[in-house]
Amino acid sequence: MQKIKKFTLAAVSVSAAFLLAACGNSNSQPSSGKTSLNLMETDIVSSLDTSVTASIPQWDTLVQTMAGLYRSDKNDQPVPAVATSYHKSSDGKTYTFNLRHNAKWSNGDTVTAKDFVTAWRKGVSPKAMSGYNYIFSNIKNADQISQGKKAVSSLGVKAVGKYKLVVQLENPEPTFIDKMVIPAFYPQNTRLVKKYGAKYGTDAKYTAFDGAFKVTKWTNTSEKWTAVKNPYYYAKSAVKLQKLNYQVVKDSNTAHQLFQQGSLDDAVVSGTTAQGLQNNKNLYHLYRSGNNFVKLNMAKGAVLANKQLRQALYLAVNRTQLSKKVLADGSKPSYTFSAPNAAKDPASGKDFATAAQPKETYNVAKAKKLWQAGLKQLGKSKLDLTLVASDTTTDKNVSEFLQSQLESKLPGLKVTVKNLPSKSAYNLAANGKFDLYLSFWINDYADPYSELQTLEMTNSHNYGKYTSVAYNNELKQARKNAATRSVYFSHLLKAQEQMNQDYPVLPLYTMVEDHLVNANLKGVLWHKVGMVDYTQAYFK
């Protein structure tokens, strides 16, 4: 998922907790008397309707307040939540989920199979604005629906009574259950959706929650909001905290100060602030399955449609210097679009990102030759490129580094940096108004495909208009052969290798989050894939 920062987009998958269904009692009891947890986000939650937007602040909040069919456990593995079990057909194309009878919404309504149908139909619709309708691909008719060729009612999901949900796939998909932890697959209260229409998810009073907490005192412009314990949650006895207090903190130094004052129990720091805290006893490194990178605008007529220029940009960036000197927060250089910690390549046994890494990643002399050759092909002697990025401290620092690196190594290049509020930067990128776009992705589930599919020709996140037929064909073959793991991964590897030759993105560094954590805070599930889960947290 990519964050709108900092969407969107991190990230970017989801949440978690132990199987709460049978957790009537917990061995961990709060003893400090503190039952409110103070958290931060780097931007507002502009909607709690997953068909309207998809952002890290939104997903962070939903993971604490919603329950889908499955959740992630401490090992990032899916465990039952609203679903109690499922049956898969012999051909691997039909999943039948049995839902628990005691799952209720925060208003007392029963959670039913129809609530999942309602949400999924909204999410896959061509009218959905989240940019996430592609996540439903492989569910019967999903792609045709997203393209406006079929009605949303034809989606391969149906409710059989209140407590049975049947899903039909177009091809077998071994990671289908893994995807069920993603907020995009969460239910929506059908009665309230019909009652409030477009207002659903714009204000706490127009929204219902079926998870551990329920959001209160929130609108889609709030910079502070709360979530209180949900008395209707099916596993409420496992929830020890009474309240989550959120506030928007964009500046890392401010986050550090608030932590020191006791106003934050988990403060995310970055940049120079994080650099000075690397030996702090409260610092926790969360290594995400995500990458930070630059998307290149390859649209027809764009200057970066020239491959030699793109390759020159790739080879001109000293990623080691970026990660060790500029970031200095535990981040590591990244050389592939595929992020680490998603899965291992069955053939080599290596992390997929390592197995797919190109041999040549930094060569200034070669970059200069390629740059001159590219300019010559275009009949130019100099070039102006616009780099669009968010206005967070980290993105500003990375933008300045890239500007310096590229201008000093590629003769005739001028890089103009536009650091804008996250939503403004995202809107420019989504409308193709950029040359370079500083972005990132957090894998939504433990599969490299989660990230690779975002650069398919028809994917809504393919802002740079990457149109490799070979790349798309490898992903298509991966989907068709998903039942055989070795064949599936061989096609994913070939897709990444094709991308290595095309340079549609400039990978920069792997995603690490530096958290200053209250020493008494326990029970948090720190997920590499997905969002941090505080639903079983407590203070010792």
Side-chain angles (χ1 to χ4, degrees), residues 196-207:
Y196 296 123
K199 289 184 177 180
Y200 187 89
T202 62
D203 189 302
K205 66 184 178 183
Y206 300 135
T207 317

Side-chain angles (χ1 to χ4, degrees), residues 282-330:
N282 295 110
L283 190 71
Y284 177 77
H285 286 304
L286 175 56
Y287 290 96
R288 298 278 204 175
S289 179
N291 267 344
N292 292 263
F293 49 82
V294 176
K295 286 190 175 181
L296 308 183
N297 192 339
M298 300 169 58
K300 186 177 180 180
V303 292
L304 293 182
N306 184 286
K307 179 180 174 180
Q308 289 181 306
L309 294 182
R310 298 196 307 272
Q311 186 178 1
L313 292 170
Y314 179 92
L315 293 174
V317 179
N318 188 333
R319 294 163 179 81
T320 300
Q321 183 181 348
L322 172 61
S323 60
K324 291 187 176 181
K325 301 296 183 181
V326 178
L327 297 167
D329 58 1

